[in-house]
Amino acid sequence: MSDRERLKRLAAERAVEFVEDGMVLGLGTGSTAKHVLDVLAERRRAGALRKIVGVATSRWTERYARELGIPLITLEEEPRVDLTLDGADEVDPSLDLIKGLGGALLWEKIVATVSDQFVVVVDETKLVKRLGERAPLPIEVVPFGWNTHLSYLDLLGGEPTLRLTPAGTPFMTDGGHYLIECRFSGGMAEPRRLEQELRQRVGVVETGLFLGMADAVVVAGEDGVRVLRPEVSTA
């Protein structure tokens, strides 16, 4: 296991401490979320957390959870989630996030939104001073007219490209949409304003900006694992 994977594993182990038996869990998508699933399955094999059920945020997560023997339900069966554990592509000092480069941002945001707690699990390389410093922003759009968004994103200061598969065809999300990945040189100056503008545009389904949503961020680094929480305003 590489050093980075070891840190992801440590963060996952700490994050699973938030889980109580009997919970409905939102199960994230991505390499760090995979470690969370592994830890949950190990706890279950050891006799703990036998009554948890999961809501998958992608078809990949659904398949992997079933392989591990983690029971699943859908939001149609249970529209409220106790706790979601998921990774992130970037985390800024306010605990705002970029998520979705695994291609599951729409389903991830739906599940996170209906969760009583949303706990993010990362290694320290995901911490940034400004969102967009390193990662592009994924924007989920309907396939019809997808290219009409490119000039608009240029005007907003972005550098948009359509995400492609290794075969050179457009990447398709589980919801049947395309992903535009938009880079912002130096990061985003006003992510909240950008989110508002993008969400008002016809054809944009969702963005990878998860703003003000995280209740805690579990961060693993060479100095150990710590839990970050958003500052509470006294105004």
Side-chain angles (χ1 to χ4, degrees), residues 2-197:
S2 69
D3 286 344
R4 188 168 179 187
E5 291 302 312
R6 177 179 59 82
L7 293 178
K8 291 179 182 180
R9 169 72 189 207
L10 290 173
E13 290 173 350
R14 176 64 181 89
V16 170
E17 294 179 16
F18 284 83
V19 179
E20 298 176 8
D21 206 7
M23 278 185 164
V24 177
L25 296 177
L27 304 177
T29 298
S31 60
T32 305
K34 179 180 183 295
H35 285 285
V36 171
L37 294 173
D38 289 337
V39 175
L40 286 171
E42 290 167 13
R43 297 284 196 275
R44 286 174 51 78
R45 287 194 293 269
L49 305 180
R50 300 297 298 176
K51 297 180 181 179
I52 63 169
V53 292
V55 175
T57 57
S58 66
R59 292 196 176 99
W60 177 90
T61 298
E62 179 181 1
R63 289 192 298 271
Y64 193 61
R66 292 193 188 284
E67 288 177 13
L68 295 174
I70 298 172
L72 298 175
I73 59 172
T74 66
L75 289 179
E76 285 75 18
E77 297 170 279
E78 177 51 74
R80 187 188 64 82
V81 176
D82 294 301
L83 167 68
T84 288
L85 300 176
D86 204 350
D89 300 297
E90 287 188 346
V91 181
D92 78 2
S94 298
L95 305 191
D96 289 332
L97 319 169
I98 286 179
K99 284 180 49 56
L101 290 176
L105 64 97
L106 176 60
W107 291 10
E108 288 174 335
K109 192 176 277 190
I110 291 172
V111 173
T113 298
V114 300
S115 299
D116 292 342
Q117 295 184 80
F118 178 39
V119 175
V120 178
V121 192
V122 297
D123 66 89
E124 62 186 358
T125 66
K126 300 300 179 66
L127 301 182
V128 296
K129 293 181 179 179
R130 176 182 281 190
L131 292 181
E133 279 183 10
R134 303 173 192 164
L137 174 65
I139 302 166
E140 191 159 344
V141 301
V142 296
F144 180 81
W146 69 267
N147 59 318
T148 64
H149 303 298
L150 299 181
S151 59
Y152 178 72
L153 290 167
D154 281 332
L155 290 174
L156 294 179
E159 300 171 14
T161 57
L162 182 67
R163 182 169 178 175
L164 302 176
T165 68
T169 59
F171 175 88
M172 188 75 71
T173 70
D174 287 342
H177 304 123
Y178 288 175
L179 277 184
I180 295 174
E181 296 181 350
C182 193
R183 291 196 175 274
F184 293 85
S185 179
M188 302 171 207
E190 298 180 278
R192 278 170 171 73
R193 180 178 177 182
L194 178 64
E195 169 78 350
Q196 185 178 37
E197 292 195 17

